[in-house]
């Protein structure tokens, strides 16, 4: 026979229907192009075997770069913070799961009291000849309570906690990707600055040799003082570029130590030997723009936060409806002696059906729902913006990679030609066929071209790092977000 009590009927109806109020989450549809604008040009590059996207830094073929990235992934303090955030979100999910289950507790107490004669009970005890104004009580109880999630408020809370946990995991992956990319970028910048310093120091040596030659000619009366001063000025200009490059190199080495979670100067000795700038590897798995939605962890973070905000709307709407809870107690109590605590006569029990309803607080509930909807709208716009920015980052990185490599190739030819031109101009100057100004111009042109070549090579390698990062390399999602 079914119960006829209204509250009992409401409980049965809610449990059987499994009602969950609020909007169900639907992942936003983001229209994406089928290919990147720069995808064809990148696919036409032929630099060797394809690079493993999960460990793309190994594709540069530089063991020291690989070692530093590996150290950063093990020691970086940003990653330690991200791991701690994942642990916090996991705990929040555990708490949300626990809210859906009954809770129990065990309590007990033993008390001894002395009655005051100024109280009615104390006066009665005081008037009896053999009464003892001392009293003992003993109690032990097992209690349980359960909030019945009739309208899905707790389930929406669990949805939000799960989405936040998934966002924190993806956030840790995004941090890992950023740490690897930034470490590689700093390392490549160091190699580029070292190459530019070598070019500047070589030019200083060349200018010094030229100055020595002009001084000898000047001492023999075969050169004017003007020529001496011109060479001195050119030498000073080249020398002045060295301290600026050295300051940039020091800053880059300090930044690398910071990425590795070590004090500045820790790895400077390892970087003292100058190595060539690593060439950008081939990017074989460019995929399509639509793949970014599952490949880039920062986009998954934005999407999961949007899902959590959607669940919070349902949690806010659930506040419109009454909340029912069941509580029960089994225990024993006695005031005779502790030995009687677990006898049949000392047993006690209670069952409680609780009701809580914010019946006259709908204005506040409306405000909470509006706030939740506003947050969802904000995060939806943030997600769409993040997708567009991610696509822009890929396009910019692919374009920079192809064009910087082309620039480096052109400058390499220019350096070769300008090197021969400088030798020819100096030989012609010694024969009196050209002026010293032409020699100095040839030196300056060669310096600029060689420095530009080093910058272009560095820029191409760093653009490859940016491309791997923009494509979400270095991370593979285990499962699709729920």
């Amino acid at each position: 026979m079914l119960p006829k009590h209204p509250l009992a009927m409401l409980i049965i109806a809610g449990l059987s229907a499994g009602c969950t109020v609020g909007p169900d989450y639907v992942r936003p549809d983001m229209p994406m192009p089928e290919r990147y604008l720069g995808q064809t040009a990148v696919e036409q590059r032929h630099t060797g075997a394809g690079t493993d996207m999960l460990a793309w830094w190994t594709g540069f073929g530089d063991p020291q770069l690989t070692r530093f990235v590996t150290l950063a992934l093990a020691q970086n303090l940003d990653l330690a913070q991200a791991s701690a955030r994942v642990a916090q979100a996991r705990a929040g999910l555990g708490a949300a799961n626990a809210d859906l289950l009954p809770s129990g507790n065990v309590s007990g107490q033993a008390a001894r009291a002395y009655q005051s004669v100024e109280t009615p009970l104390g006066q009665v005890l005081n008037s009896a000849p053999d009464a003892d104004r001392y009293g003992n009580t003993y109690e032990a109880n097992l209690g349980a309570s359960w909030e019945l999630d009739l309208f899905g408020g707790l389930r929406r809370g669990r949805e939000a906690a799960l989405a936040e946990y998934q966002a924190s995991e993806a956030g840790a992956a995004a941090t890992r990707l950023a740490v690897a990319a930034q470490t590689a970028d700093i390392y490549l910048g160091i190699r580029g600055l070292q190459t530019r310093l070598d070019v500047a120091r070589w030019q200083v040596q060349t200018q010094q040799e030229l100055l020595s030659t002009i001084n000898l000619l000047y001492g023999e009366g075969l050169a004017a003082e003007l020529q001496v001063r011109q060479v001195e000025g050119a030498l000073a200009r080249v020398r002045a570029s060295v301290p600026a490059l050295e300051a940039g190199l020091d800053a880059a080495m300090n930044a690398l130590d910071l990425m590795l979670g070590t004090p500045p100067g820790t790895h400077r000795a390892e970087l003292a030997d100058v190595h060539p700038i690593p060439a950008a590897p081939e990017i074989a798995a460019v995929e399509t723009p639509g793949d970014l939605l599952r490949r880039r962890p920062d986009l998954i973070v934005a999407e999961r936060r949007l899902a959590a905000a959607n669940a919070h709307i349902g949690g806010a709407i659930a506040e419109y409806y009454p909340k029912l809870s069941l509580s029960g107690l089994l225990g024993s109590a006695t005031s005779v002696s502790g030995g009687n605590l677990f006898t049949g006569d000392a047993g006690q029990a209670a069952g409680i059906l609780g009701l809580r309803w914010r019946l006259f607080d709908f204005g506040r509930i409306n405000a909470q729902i509006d706030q939740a909807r506003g947050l969802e709208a904000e995060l939806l716009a943030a997600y769409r913006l993040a997708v567009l920015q991610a696509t822009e980052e890929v396009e910019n990185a692919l374009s920079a990679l192809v064009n910087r490599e082309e620039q480096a190739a052109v400058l390499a030819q220019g350096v070769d030609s300008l090197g021969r031109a400088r030798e020819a101009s100096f030989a012609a100057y010694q024969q009196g066929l050209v002026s010293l100004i032409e020699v100095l111009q040839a030196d300056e042109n060669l310096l600029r071209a060689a420095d530009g070549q080093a910058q272009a090579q560095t820029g191409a390698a760093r653009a490859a790092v940016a491309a791997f990062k923009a494509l979400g390399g270095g991370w593979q999602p285990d499962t699709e977000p729920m």
Side-chain angles (χ1 to χ4, degrees), residues 67-83:
R67 176 175 176 273
F68 283 135
V69 171
T70 303
L71 281 175
L73 294 178
Q75 301 174 178
N76 184 267
L77 297 179
D78 287 329
L79 273 175
Q81 295 180 64
S83 297

PDB file of all heavy atoms in Angstrom, residues 67-83:
ATOM      1  N   ARG A  67      67.949  18.171 -22.358  1.00  0.00           N
ATOM      2  CA  ARG A  67      68.227  18.029 -20.920  1.00  0.00           C
ATOM      3  C   ARG A  67      67.577  19.154 -20.126  1.00  0.00           C
ATOM      4  O   ARG A  67      66.963  18.914 -19.079  1.00  0.00           O
ATOM      5  CB  ARG A  67      69.734  18.017 -20.685  1.00  0.00           C
ATOM      6  CG  ARG A  67      70.119  17.964 -19.207  1.00  0.00           C
ATOM      7  CD  ARG A  67      71.620  17.841 -19.019  1.00  0.00           C
ATOM      8  NE  ARG A  67      71.967  17.883 -17.606  1.00  0.00           N
ATOM      9  CZ  ARG A  67      72.177  18.993 -16.920  1.00  0.00           C
ATOM     10  NH1 ARG A  67      72.112  20.160 -17.521  1.00  0.00           N
ATOM     11  NH2 ARG A  67      72.464  18.940 -15.627  1.00  0.00           N
ATOM     12  N   PHE A  68      67.688  20.383 -20.603  1.00  0.00           N
ATOM     13  CA  PHE A  68      67.129  21.512 -19.860  1.00  0.00           C
ATOM     14  C   PHE A  68      65.600  21.447 -19.816  1.00  0.00           C
ATOM     15  O   PHE A  68      64.995  21.759 -18.783  1.00  0.00           O
ATOM     16  CB  PHE A  68      67.594  22.832 -20.468  1.00  0.00           C
ATOM     17  CG  PHE A  68      69.003  23.201 -20.107  1.00  0.00           C
ATOM     18  CD1 PHE A  68      69.878  23.676 -21.074  1.00  0.00           C
ATOM     19  CD2 PHE A  68      69.467  23.082 -18.819  1.00  0.00           C
ATOM     20  CE1 PHE A  68      71.186  24.023 -20.749  1.00  0.00           C
ATOM     21  CE2 PHE A  68      70.771  23.409 -18.478  1.00  0.00           C
ATOM     22  CZ  PHE A  68      71.635  23.881 -19.452  1.00  0.00           C
ATOM     23  N   VAL A  69      64.971  21.059 -20.908  1.00  0.00           N
ATOM     24  CA  VAL A  69      63.512  20.936 -20.900  1.00  0.00           C
ATOM     25  C   VAL A  69      63.079  19.841 -19.925  1.00  0.00           C
ATOM     26  O   VAL A  69      62.117  20.004 -19.164  1.00  0.00           O
ATOM     27  CB  VAL A  69      62.978  20.651 -22.317  1.00  0.00           C
ATOM     28  CG1 VAL A  69      61.489  20.308 -22.272  1.00  0.00           C
ATOM     29  CG2 VAL A  69      63.204  21.852 -23.224  1.00  0.00           C
ATOM     30  N   THR A  70      63.814  18.731 -19.921  1.00  0.00           N
ATOM     31  CA  THR A  70      63.497  17.641 -18.990  1.00  0.00           C
ATOM     32  C   THR A  70      63.639  18.093 -17.543  1.00  0.00           C
ATOM     33  O   THR A  70      62.792  17.780 -16.688  1.00  0.00           O
ATOM     34  CB  THR A  70      64.419  16.443 -19.257  1.00  0.00           C
ATOM     35  OG1 THR A  70      64.277  16.029 -20.620  1.00  0.00           O
ATOM     36  CG2 THR A  70      64.059  15.276 -18.345  1.00  0.00           C
ATOM     37  N   LEU A  71      64.696  18.852 -17.250  1.00  0.00           N
ATOM     38  CA  LEU A  71      64.880  19.381 -15.897  1.00  0.00           C
ATOM     39  C   LEU A  71      63.755  20.335 -15.521  1.00  0.00           C
ATOM     40  O   LEU A  71      63.244  20.300 -14.389  1.00  0.00           O
ATOM     41  CB  LEU A  71      66.230  20.107 -15.797  1.00  0.00           C
ATOM     42  CG  LEU A  71      67.479  19.247 -15.632  1.00  0.00           C
ATOM     43  CD1 LEU A  71      68.725  20.121 -15.663  1.00  0.00           C
ATOM     44  CD2 LEU A  71      67.424  18.458 -14.328  1.00  0.00           C
ATOM     45  N   ALA A  72      63.370  21.191 -16.441  1.00  0.00           N
ATOM     46  CA  ALA A  72      62.301  22.156 -16.157  1.00  0.00           C
ATOM     47  C   ALA A  72      60.992  21.438 -15.845  1.00  0.00           C
ATOM     48  O   ALA A  72      60.264  21.819 -14.921  1.00  0.00           O
ATOM     49  CB  ALA A  72      62.126  23.102 -17.338  1.00  0.00           C
ATOM     50  N   LEU A  73      60.684  20.386 -16.592  1.00  0.00           N
ATOM     51  CA  LEU A  73      59.439  19.654 -16.354  1.00  0.00           C
ATOM     52  C   LEU A  73      59.457  18.923 -15.016  1.00  0.00           C
ATOM     53  O   LEU A  73      58.403  18.586 -14.475  1.00  0.00           O
ATOM     54  CB  LEU A  73      59.202  18.655 -17.488  1.00  0.00           C
ATOM     55  CG  LEU A  73      58.923  19.269 -18.868  1.00  0.00           C
ATOM     56  CD1 LEU A  73      58.763  18.191 -19.913  1.00  0.00           C
ATOM     57  CD2 LEU A  73      57.689  20.164 -18.836  1.00  0.00           C
ATOM     58  N   ALA A  74      60.651  18.679 -14.479  1.00  0.00           N
ATOM     59  CA  ALA A  74      60.760  17.999 -13.188  1.00  0.00           C
ATOM     60  C   ALA A  74      60.861  18.963 -12.019  1.00  0.00           C
ATOM     61  O   ALA A  74      60.455  18.631 -10.900  1.00  0.00           O
ATOM     62  CB  ALA A  74      61.982  17.074 -13.188  1.00  0.00           C
ATOM     63  N   GLN A  75      61.389  20.186 -12.251  1.00  0.00           N
ATOM     64  CA  GLN A  75      61.727  21.076 -11.143  1.00  0.00           C
ATOM     65  C   GLN A  75      60.994  22.399 -11.141  1.00  0.00           C
ATOM     66  O   GLN A  75      61.046  23.124 -10.139  1.00  0.00           O
ATOM     67  CB  GLN A  75      63.244  21.372 -11.179  1.00  0.00           C
ATOM     68  CG  GLN A  75      64.119  20.152 -11.084  1.00  0.00           C
ATOM     69  CD  GLN A  75      65.596  20.462 -11.276  1.00  0.00           C
ATOM     70  OE1 GLN A  75      66.451  19.591 -11.192  1.00  0.00           O
ATOM     71  NE2 GLN A  75      65.921  21.724 -11.530  1.00  0.00           N
ATOM     72  N   ASN A  76      60.313  22.757 -12.221  1.00  0.00           N
ATOM     73  CA  ASN A  76      59.735  24.092 -12.314  1.00  0.00           C
ATOM     74  C   ASN A  76      58.684  24.325 -11.226  1.00  0.00           C
ATOM     75  O   ASN A  76      57.843  23.457 -10.959  1.00  0.00           O
ATOM     76  CB  ASN A  76      59.112  24.289 -13.691  1.00  0.00           C
ATOM     77  CG  ASN A  76      58.573  25.684 -13.889  1.00  0.00           C
ATOM     78  OD1 ASN A  76      57.405  25.939 -13.644  1.00  0.00           O
ATOM     79  ND2 ASN A  76      59.423  26.597 -14.308  1.00  0.00           N
ATOM     80  N   LEU A  77      58.716  25.497 -10.622  1.00  0.00           N
ATOM     81  CA  LEU A  77      57.824  25.792  -9.497  1.00  0.00           C
ATOM     82  C   LEU A  77      56.418  26.147  -9.950  1.00  0.00           C
ATOM     83  O   LEU A  77      55.451  25.979  -9.196  1.00  0.00           O
ATOM     84  CB  LEU A  77      58.420  26.923  -8.653  1.00  0.00           C
ATOM     85  CG  LEU A  77      59.772  26.579  -8.006  1.00  0.00           C
ATOM     86  CD1 LEU A  77      60.312  27.756  -7.215  1.00  0.00           C
ATOM     87  CD2 LEU A  77      59.649  25.356  -7.106  1.00  0.00           C
ATOM     88  N   ASP A  78      56.256  26.643 -11.179  1.00  0.00           N
ATOM     89  CA  ASP A  78      54.907  26.855 -11.703  1.00  0.00           C
ATOM     90  C   ASP A  78      54.174  25.526 -11.843  1.00  0.00           C
ATOM     91  O   ASP A  78      52.968  25.426 -11.573  1.00  0.00           O
ATOM     92  CB  ASP A  78      54.973  27.553 -13.073  1.00  0.00           C
ATOM     93  CG  ASP A  78      55.348  29.012 -12.951  1.00  0.00           C
ATOM     94  OD1 ASP A  78      55.006  29.630 -11.925  1.00  0.00           O
ATOM     95  OD2 ASP A  78      55.995  29.548 -13.865  1.00  0.00           O
ATOM     96  N   LEU A  79      54.915  24.491 -12.256  1.00  0.00           N
ATOM     97  CA  LEU A  79      54.311  23.166 -12.362  1.00  0.00           C
ATOM     98  C   LEU A  79      53.931  22.617 -10.992  1.00  0.00           C
ATOM     99  O   LEU A  79      52.910  21.935 -10.847  1.00  0.00           O
ATOM    100  CB  LEU A  79      55.284  22.213 -13.058  1.00  0.00           C
ATOM    101  CG  LEU A  79      55.230  22.192 -14.588  1.00  0.00           C
ATOM    102  CD1 LEU A  79      56.331  21.300 -15.144  1.00  0.00           C
ATOM    103  CD2 LEU A  79      53.872  21.732 -15.076  1.00  0.00           C
ATOM    104  N   ALA A  80      54.761  22.907  -9.985  1.00  0.00           N
ATOM    105  CA  ALA A  80      54.433  22.463  -8.621  1.00  0.00           C
ATOM    106  C   ALA A  80      53.135  23.109  -8.152  1.00  0.00           C
ATOM    107  O   ALA A  80      52.284  22.458  -7.523  1.00  0.00           O
ATOM    108  CB  ALA A  80      55.578  22.802  -7.673  1.00  0.00           C
ATOM    109  N   GLN A  81      52.944  24.394  -8.471  1.00  0.00           N
ATOM    110  CA  GLN A  81      51.693  25.065  -8.102  1.00  0.00           C
ATOM    111  C   GLN A  81      50.513  24.462  -8.849  1.00  0.00           C
ATOM    112  O   GLN A  81      49.426  24.272  -8.271  1.00  0.00           O
ATOM    113  CB  GLN A  81      51.801  26.558  -8.421  1.00  0.00           C
ATOM    114  CG  GLN A  81      52.848  27.300  -7.600  1.00  0.00           C
ATOM    115  CD  GLN A  81      52.910  28.770  -7.973  1.00  0.00           C
ATOM    116  OE1 GLN A  81      51.949  29.519  -7.797  1.00  0.00           O
ATOM    117  NE2 GLN A  81      54.042  29.198  -8.499  1.00  0.00           N
ATOM    118  N   ALA A  82      50.700  24.167 -10.133  1.00  0.00           N
ATOM    119  CA  ALA A  82      49.611  23.585 -10.916  1.00  0.00           C
ATOM    120  C   ALA A  82      49.214  22.222 -10.357  1.00  0.00           C
ATOM    121  O   ALA A  82      48.024  21.887 -10.286  1.00  0.00           O
ATOM    122  CB  ALA A  82      50.025  23.458 -12.379  1.00  0.00           C
ATOM    123  N   SER A  83      50.188  21.421  -9.941  1.00  0.00           N
ATOM    124  CA  SER A  83      49.888  20.114  -9.348  1.00  0.00           C
ATOM    125  C   SER A  83      49.109  20.275  -8.048  1.00  0.00           C
ATOM    126  O   SER A  83      48.192  19.497  -7.756  1.00  0.00           O
ATOM    127  CB  SER A  83      51.184  19.347  -9.089  1.00  0.00           C
ATOM    128  OG  SER A  83      51.871  19.088 -10.302  1.00  0.00           O
TER     129      SER A  83
END
